Amino acid sequence: GQSLEQPSEVTAVEGAIVQINCTYQTSGFYGLSWYQQHDGGAPTFLSYNALDGLEETGRFSSFLSRSDSYGYLLLQELQMKDSASYFCAVMDTDKLIFGTGTRLQVFP
Amino acid sequence: SQTIHQWPATLVQPVGSPLSLECTVEGTSNPNLYWYRQAAGRGLQLLFYSIGIDQISSEVPQNLSASRPQDRQFILSSKKLLLSDSGFYLCAWSVLRRVTEAFFGQGTRLTVV
């Protein structure tokens, strides 16, 4: 079967660094993406890894290890507005499969 | 630029009534199209995906169906809604087989009463 597992919830304070992990098991793999979703809103794209290693986009970085079927999203210099749900997603052939989601709460 | 339109934003329907949600994409050709459902506080469940006109794949057996009558139009339907069909429905598109980013519509919050 297909599965993408994430921790259900993470909490941190403003200015801190937080890492959200994702382990996946899919029949096909065309890359790992990360999305942010605020309450009541639609998911928005954050980053994408097709190859192993670290991709940096401003305060957000994403890492992929294809041999371990593992990736993570690293959020630095946390701000209150970063409180949201974060999803990893895998493109399996033509299907975009999402993880279980991690709710991040940032406290002052 | 590419845009995706999904309507309506909210919908309250009685049990047993039909459903039709429409999604259209502008500014791109031959996109992959997706329908997802999200229960409150939960993840995105893939319902249907399509790689072309009249090419629909279903991920979860249920009383929902999808159609793609035109390249950039994706429709989610039901003949008779169930209470369990309540949820947040999201349409999305991506570049065929080269996904670096998927774009989502605003979503439809469906409540079946």
Side-chain angles (χ1 to χ4, degrees), chain A residues 35 37 45 91 94-96, chain B residues 36 38 49 97 99-100 102:
Chain A
Y35 291 80
Q37 184 183 32
F45 173 83
M91 177 56 82
D94 292 307
K95 298 186 293 187
L96 186 58
Chain B
Y36 293 90
Q38 186 175 33
Y49 68 97
R97 288 200 171 188
V99 175
T100 57

Side-chain angles (χ1 to χ4, degrees), chain A residues 2 30-31 33 35 37 39-45 47-48 85 87 91-101, chain B residues 32 34 36 38 41-44 46 49 51 59 88 90 94-97 99-107 109:
Chain A
Q2 300 163 326
Y30 282 76
S33 302
Y35 291 80
Q37 184 183 32
D39 287 345
T44 56
F45 173 83
S47 68
Y48 172 75
S85 293
F87 296 89
M91 177 56 82
D92 179 354
T93 313
D94 292 307
K95 298 186 293 187
L96 186 58
I97 308 296
F98 280 79
T100 52
Chain B
N32 268 18
Y34 309 89
Y36 293 90
Q38 186 175 33
R42 305 293 295 274
L44 283 77
L46 180 62
Y49 68 97
I51 62 171
E59 283 297 289
F88 191 43
L90 290 155
S94 66
V95 174
L96 185 64
R97 288 200 171 188
V99 175
T100 57
E101 183 170 0
F103 302 88
F104 283 82
Q106 65 172 0
R109 192 161 303 282

Side-chain angles (χ1 to χ4, degrees), chain B residues 43-101:
Chain B
L44 283 77
Q45 179 188 32
L46 180 62
L47 302 176
F48 300 94
Y49 68 97
S50 171
I51 62 171
I53 295 175
D54 295 330
Q55 299 180 68
I56 312 292
S57 297
S58 173
E59 283 297 289
V60 182
Q62 57 211 327
N63 69 320
L64 299 173
S65 63
S67 62
R68 185 172 177 174
Q70 300 179 46
D71 180 44
R72 290 170 287 181
Q73 183 185 28
F74 207 22
I75 299 171
L76 182 69
S77 304
S78 174
K79 292 182 179 178
K80 289 185 177 181
L81 284 169
L82 307 172
L83 286 174
S84 57
D85 291 324
S86 294
F88 191 43
Y89 288 81
L90 290 155
C91 178
W93 75 271
S94 66
V95 174
L96 185 64
R97 288 200 171 188
R98 193 171 59 85
V99 175
T100 57
E101 183 170 0

Side-chain angles (χ1 to χ4, degrees), chain A residues 49-64:
Chain A
N49 294 72
L51 303 175
D52 291 352
L54 191 68
E55 293 285 340
E56 298 181 68
T57 309
R59 294 188 296 115
F60 295 173
S61 303
S62 57
F63 172 82
L64 174 65

Side-chain angles (χ1 to χ4, degrees), chain A residues 45-81:
Chain A
F45 173 83
L46 291 177
S47 68
Y48 172 75
N49 294 72
L51 303 175
D52 291 352
L54 191 68
E55 293 285 340
E56 298 181 68
T57 309
R59 294 188 296 115
F60 295 173
S61 303
S62 57
F63 172 82
L64 174 65
S65 170
R66 288 174 295 171
S67 60
D68 296 322
S69 297
Y70 164 78
Y72 66 72
L73 179 69
L74 191 72
L75 298 86
Q76 304 180 71
E77 301 174 17
L78 282 174
Q79 302 174 9
M80 295 295 293
K81 67 178 183 179

